[in-house]
Every structure is written in C-alpha cells, then in structure tokens.
Amino acid sequence: MNKSGTGLGALWTFAAAARHLSFARAAAELDVTPAAVSSQIRAFEERLGTRLFFRTSRSMRLTHAGEELLSSTAGALRTIDEALRRAANTTHRETLTVSSGPSFAAKWLVPRLPHFRQKFPEIEMRIDISDTLADFGREEIDVGIRFGRGVYPGLRSDRLFDEVVFPICSPRLLEGPVPLREPNDLQHFTLIHLDWYGQGDAWPDWRMWLLAVKADKPDPSRGLHFSQSVMTLQAAIDGQGVALGNTSLVGDDLAAGRLVRPFDLSLRISPEFAYYLVAPKTKADKPMIKAFREWMLGEIQSSTAPG
C-alpha cells in the first residue's frame, strides 16, 4: 500500500462521511462541496486499495474495511481535534506582564489575582518581581506598580493608596506578661525596622513615629533591621517584635487576626508618596492594560483600609 497519499486531510474527510453516511452532510461539516468529498473519498479508496463505502442512489453504508478504519481512528482524531482547539485558544490569549516590588506583590497583589483571573480568563498573567523601576523601552513589561512620588515622564500614573503608618504586632505579644498599652511600653519589646530608601527619601521609621507620639523611653535605633517590608511583617507575625505597618500591606493580616494594632496612633506619610500603577501613555488604553487598571482601582475602592 502506498502511504504517501493517505494524509490526515483524507482521513478527516473519511471520518466525517462515515459519521454522517452522507457526502452532502460531511461537506457541510467540512465547509467544502459534496463533489470534493466524493472525489477525496474515491482517491483515498484507490490509494488504500479497498472500498470504504457501499454506495447506491439512495443510501450509503460502511464496508467491513470502512468500519475497522473508523473504529481504529476515531479516538485519535478526537484527540487531535481537541489539541488543535486548545492551540487555537492559546494563540488568541494575551499575556499581561506586571512588574511589582516583592512586598506589594506578596501582601496585596498575589492574594487578589484569582479575582482578576476569574473576571478575565482570556488574559494570561506574568508577575515580574523587582525592586527597580521597570524600563518599558527595553523590557517586556506592560504595567508597573511602584512606591514613589508618581512623577514618571512618558507614563500614565494612577495613585492607588493614601498611606498611613502605625505599629503592628502579633496578638500573642498582647497576651504576654509585659504590658503593651502605650508607646513608652515599647522599651520592653524588640523594634522591627524597615531600612528603605527611594528617590532620596526614607520610609517613616521608628524615630519619626516615636517623636510624633512624644514617646522618649524606647531606643529608636535598636532591634531587627530588614530591607523589605514583607520581611518586617513576617517577623511581626511570628511574634519577634513590633513593626511599623502601612495601610496597603497589612490590611489582610489585620483582618485575619495575624496582626493587631496595639495603639490607635498613626503617622500619615507625606501626601506625594504613594503606590502608583504606571504604564506607557502609548499603551495605557490597550484593552488588557485598561482592564487590569480598572480592576485594581475597583478592588482598592471596595476594600476597607485600616487606619
């Protein structure tokens, strides 16, 4: 048997004709003419060297060879058809690449991604974790989330949060033998520090907060020091001391009871500093970028921010 002419197209045509037992209905399924189906089946039979159909003016049925061929190939053709459909769907799905710092990604963005993916299942997500500003001209980044002044030439910048800083700790610390009722009680606890500097300015630290609340007994320089917010918050959750948390990053932990606020005293961050969603102005209204921006702003608006 010469196999060179028994291609997948001929096999597909045979399967359609065998299912319908009609060249006309097979042609409609394949979007070709009945004459084309008849011609391809005839050529297929000649190449196989056997008849696949008994045909009369009124009816058509499979021969024994036709029945065996259909039985042997039906499963394989279904598998190929499903694979082709998946490939076609994948081809039409867009990928949105979001650049974010590790702390914001871990504490706010990633826990909420299932909401976005459920609402926009056709958009694939890729999260790029980096502390540096995204270079939209060189990197394949669609959207960036950064803390700063919001002044980014050539970029659309949407303010996300008005940040407030306040002490947070594990509820276990409040249950211990040493009281934590007022700021000066912090002298008996480990202070957890975030050493962060960006755009020439420092994140509000313990020295600033203690000065603002007129607490002079705690030493604002001692304790644990970290360079990432997510590490300071995890240390606080683990009961290692008291950290300064900010509105956007501790909301979920406060709601879940992993963290508590020992005092009702907050320090508002300078108004020009905030988390911003940024994207090139030339791409900012691209459908998937606009969808992500509107979803994110909606999530923030609907959430209840502590402090």
Side-chain angles (χ1 to χ4, degrees):
M1 179 181 66
N2 179 11
K3 294 183 180 180
S4 62
T6 60
L8 184 60
L11 190 58
W12 221 283
T13 301
F14 160 74
R19 286 195 306 274
H20 295 292
L21 291 178
S22 165
F23 286 170
R25 289 195 292 270
E29 176 186 321
L30 300 172
D31 197 23
V32 296
T33 65
V37 172
S38 177
S39 175
Q40 192 165 21
I41 292 296
R42 187 164 51 251
F44 195 28
E45 289 176 325
E46 290 176 357
R47 289 164 186 156
L48 291 174
T50 187
R51 294 183 65 179
L52 300 174
F53 295 95
F54 290 119
R55 296 182 285 277
T56 68
S57 59
R58 294 186 177 181
S59 66
M60 184 171 73
R61 60 186 177 86
L62 287 167
T63 65
H64 179 67
E67 290 176 348
E68 286 193 344
L69 181 60
L70 180 64
S71 175
S72 301
T73 60
L77 289 174
R78 281 195 299 270
T79 300
I80 293 171
D81 187 48
E82 290 170 3
L84 290 173
R85 290 179 187 274
R86 287 195 299 270
N89 290 337
T90 300
T91 300
H92 290 92
R93 295 180 73 172
E94 296 183 282
T95 298
L96 178 71
T97 301
V98 180
S99 175
S100 171
S103 297
F104 188 86
K107 304 303 290 186
W108 195 94
L109 179 59
V110 172
R112 289 166 175 79
L113 279 183
H115 303 167
F116 179 80
R117 297 183 65 198
Q118 183 178 19
K119 190 172 183 180
F120 300 98
E122 72 279 8
I123 299 178
E124 295 284 350
M125 294 291 297
R126 186 172 77 87
I127 309 301
D128 179 76
I129 302 299
S130 174
D131 273 326
T132 61
L133 294 177
D135 187 340
F136 290 98
R138 296 185 179 183
E139 303 174 79
E140 294 183 359
I141 302 294
D142 297 302
V143 177
I145 301 169
R146 287 294 181 266
F147 185 86
R149 295 179 183 271
V151 181
Y152 306 106
L155 304 181
R156 169 170 173 160
S157 181
D158 289 270
R159 188 185 183 93
L160 299 179
F161 297 95
D162 291 318
E163 294 289 359
V164 176
V165 171
F166 42 83
I168 44 93
C169 66
S170 166
R172 296 196 301 274
L173 291 190
L174 302 184
E175 300 166 0
V178 181
L180 185 55
R181 301 190 186 96
E182 60 181 47
N184 273 322
D185 290 338
L186 288 168
Q187 65 182 309
H188 305 297
F189 293 85
T190 298
L191 299 182
I192 303 173
H193 300 263
L194 172 63
D195 298 331
W196 181 91
Y197 300 89
Q199 301 185 23
D201 294 88
W203 183 263
D205 58 17
W206 275 113
R207 187 179 302 279
M208 298 178 194
W209 190 87
L210 291 169
L211 183 63
V213 299
K214 297 180 173 58
D216 56 2
K217 292 184 179 180
D219 181 349
S221 63
R222 64 181 178 82
L224 285 170
H225 290 256
F226 295 96
S227 62
Q228 294 284 348
S229 295
V230 69
M231 302 304 295
T232 67
L233 299 181
Q234 188 58 52
I237 290 171
D238 292 341
Q240 297 183 38
V242 184
L244 286 173
N246 58 300
T247 309
S248 58
L249 299 190
V250 300
D252 290 349
D253 290 319
L254 289 172
R258 293 185 289 268
L259 291 172
V260 295
R261 296 180 59 177
F263 322 114
D264 237 0
L265 299 167
S266 302
L267 181 63
R268 186 169 295 279
I269 297 175
S270 180
E272 70 267 28
F273 280 92
Y275 276 103
Y276 289 88
L277 182 70
V278 297
K281 290 180 179 179
T282 56
K283 297 170 57 179
D285 287 325
K286 187 178 178 181
M288 69 175 179
I289 295 177
K290 184 178 180 181
F292 182 77
R293 179 173 64 246
E294 292 179 350
W295 166 80
M296 193 167 182
L297 293 173
E299 283 281 318
I300 293 169
Q301 187 175 6
S302 64
S303 64
T304 302

